[in-house]
Amino acid sequence: LMRAIFRLYVDVETTGSSSQFYDKFSSRYYLSDILMELWDDQHYRRSLHELVAANEKLVLNTINMLLNDANWLLDDTIDTLQELHGLQMIMGNPADWNSLTQEQQKEKRERFAELEKKLKRTLRLANSSVQVLVALTGDENIRKVFLRPEVVERVAVMLNYYLKQLVGPRCQELKLKNKEDYGWEPKNLLTDIMRAYLNLAKSDKFAAAIAIDHRSYSESIFLSAIDKATRIRFLRPPEIQEFRLLLQEIQKTEEIEEKEAELFADAPDEFLDPIMSTLMQDPVTLPASGMVCDRPVIERHLLSDPSDPFNRKPLKAEHLIPNVELRARIREYMNLKKAGAR
């Protein structure tokens, strides 16, 4: 049954229907519901662990689809909340509202009603995806898949971005009157996001992935989350302490990352990944185009698009050719730079 759930979760990505992009969310909502119903049953949990051992690629593809869905649904939720908040502010301010023509007021009321329906639908799907994310990252056997090089940065970036939305400087834009009517419970979502962090917190790879996310990660955002969790008490004191320890680990990793970025700033272009412009650690050659990429970068691309990004020809991860000679030269360059910095 677990294999069937995970296989179907992946397969509904493409149904051939003109509405397949939206259909997949509904299908995966019910699959997620089944998975959560079975989650505490030890027989099915063992079956899932056996699936990870026998077919980690299927589990990896499922996790990739889960992250894609959660990102899209949460993004759509944030955009809808911000627009609804803006409309509530206008409709609740007599001066602003009365300055509009009757036609403009009608348009805004219609738009408000449209957004209300959309928010209820999207939130239901988004909450389901996040709950599955928390459950899967909480299982030691499945957690290792989230920590694979081609996935861990995506998870970190996603969690950082939504943590910033929920506790950052613009979080007031997500406030709604009568939020319960829409199923909008920001405290619950923040709890789930922080628990996902904690589930992955024991891995150095995860702390490093958070630290290199210069778009959304900041110490101040983490401190705001800790402060809110402490004041509202939606996390237990030991969990809050774990979150503090995670922040300390990120700060240490951030210092190392900054020093290495400065140390390797003069790396030759041939040592840099052509997609991310970062120093490659595991260079591989793409057989169709002959381009060289860092393995985690190209494998991350292939999870969602099984084609060579440089010529669009079909490409699978197993077709990548390790560039042993280039890897040796990159290692030599890095060792020489580190030796010179001592």
Side-chain angles (χ1 to χ4, degrees):
L1 180 58
M2 282 297 181
R3 185 184 298 271
I5 291 172
F6 276 63
R7 172 56 63 193
L8 188 54
Y9 200 101
V10 173
D11 288 347
V12 295
E13 181 73 14
T14 307
T15 63
S17 166
S18 59
S19 59
Q20 67 180 16
F21 180 80
Y22 296 99
D23 291 344
K24 66 184 179 185
F25 295 127
S26 295
S27 298
R28 287 173 179 160
Y29 172 81
Y30 293 113
L31 290 170
S32 298
D33 196 37
I34 295 170
L35 182 62
M36 290 296 93
E37 282 294 320
L38 302 174
W39 190 250
D40 292 325
D41 187 301
Q42 292 306 307
H43 168 74
Y44 288 109
R45 188 72 72 89
R46 282 194 302 272
S47 176
L48 180 52
H49 295 167
E50 290 168 4
L51 176 61
V52 175
N55 195 347
E56 188 171 316
K57 184 177 179 181
L58 173 59
V59 178
L60 175 62
N61 286 332
T62 303
I63 287 172
N64 179 60
M65 301 299 179
L66 173 65
L67 294 175
N68 287 345
D69 287 2
N71 261 317
W72 192 90
L73 290 165
L74 286 171
D75 254 353
D76 199 47
T77 295
I78 296 296
D79 290 343
T80 304
L81 283 166
Q82 290 173 339
E83 189 174 353
L84 270 173
H85 172 80
L87 286 172
Q88 281 189 343
M89 295 295 287
I90 293 171
M91 295 168 74
N93 186 313
D96 290 343
W97 185 249
N98 293 329
S99 69
L100 302 177
T101 65
Q102 287 188 347
E103 182 62 28
Q104 287 174 326
Q105 289 178 356
K106 179 185 176 184
E107 288 176 0
K108 291 196 180 297
R109 278 194 291 262
E110 289 175 351
R111 179 59 176 165
F112 189 85
E114 177 186 336
L115 289 171
E116 283 186 311
K117 292 178 182 177
K118 179 183 178 183
L119 181 62
K120 290 177 183 178
R121 180 178 65 251
T122 307
L123 262 174
R124 180 172 63 98
L125 299 172
N127 287 336
S128 173
S129 293
V130 173
Q131 286 164 11
V132 173
L133 175 68
V134 175
L136 293 180
T137 55
D139 185 286
E140 186 176 357
N141 287 274
I142 307 171
R143 187 183 305 138
K144 65 180 183 180
V145 185
F146 283 90
L147 297 173
R148 286 176 57 128
E150 66 268 41
V151 178
V152 66
E153 287 185 22
R154 281 198 65 204
V155 180
V157 167
M158 172 185 160
L159 294 177
N160 289 344
Y161 177 73
Y162 293 111
L163 188 69
K164 180 180 179 180
Q165 296 298 316
L166 291 168
V167 303
R170 297 184 61 186
C171 67
Q172 297 299 315
E173 296 175 19
L174 305 181
K175 285 192 172 182
L176 288 184
K177 297 175 183 175
N178 305 319
K179 65 181 189 298
E180 297 82 5
D181 294 344
Y182 311 105
W184 173 226
E185 297 289 349
K187 183 182 76 172
N188 293 346
L189 179 57
L190 180 57
T191 303
D192 284 342
I193 294 292
M194 294 183 74
R195 287 227 163 98
Y197 273 109
L198 293 176
N199 288 343
L200 298 164
K202 292 181 176 63
S203 168
D204 294 340
K205 296 177 185 176
F206 183 58
I210 295 173
I212 62 175
D213 175 22
H214 303 300
R215 176 189 173 208
S216 297
Y217 164 72
S218 73
E219 178 185 348
S220 62
I221 293 296
F222 264 62
L223 290 174
S224 293
I226 290 169
D227 177 66
K228 186 162 286 191
T230 303
R231 286 188 293 104
I232 305 177
R233 299 181 181 179
F234 55 79
L235 290 181
R236 293 178 290 109
E239 291 177 310
I240 295 172
Q241 179 58 22
E242 284 182 48
F243 211 80
R244 291 184 190 278
L245 293 174
L246 173 60
L247 176 57
Q248 291 174 14
E249 189 62 32
I250 295 167
Q251 290 169 329
K252 292 176 188 175
T253 308
E254 192 176 20
E255 291 176 10
I256 295 171
E257 189 269 332
E258 288 175 355
K259 289 177 182 176
E260 289 193 347
E262 184 178 345
L263 187 62
F264 304 136
D266 64 349
D269 288 345
E270 66 172 323
F271 291 179
L272 303 180
D273 177 82
I275 297 174
M276 299 299 294
S277 296
T278 50
L279 185 63
M280 292 187 285
Q281 303 294 322
D282 187 7
V284 292
T285 301
L286 284 54
S289 65
M291 294 294 290
V292 177
C293 295
D294 204 11
R295 184 184 292 276
V297 174
I298 188 62
E299 288 190 347
R300 190 180 312 133
H301 163 81
L302 293 175
L303 283 173
S304 299
D305 184 356
S307 68
D308 187 319
F310 302 98
N311 62 14
R312 310 309 302 167
K313 290 186 177 180
L315 179 63
K316 295 182 178 180
E318 51 264 36
H319 297 156
L320 301 173
I321 305 168
N323 195 318
V324 180
E325 185 271 336
L326 179 58
R327 180 176 180 176
R329 289 198 288 125
I330 293 173
R331 291 293 173 86
E332 182 183 12
Y333 161 80
M334 293 175 69
N335 290 336
L336 288 172
K337 294 293 288 187
K338 288 178 180 178
R342 291 188 185 124

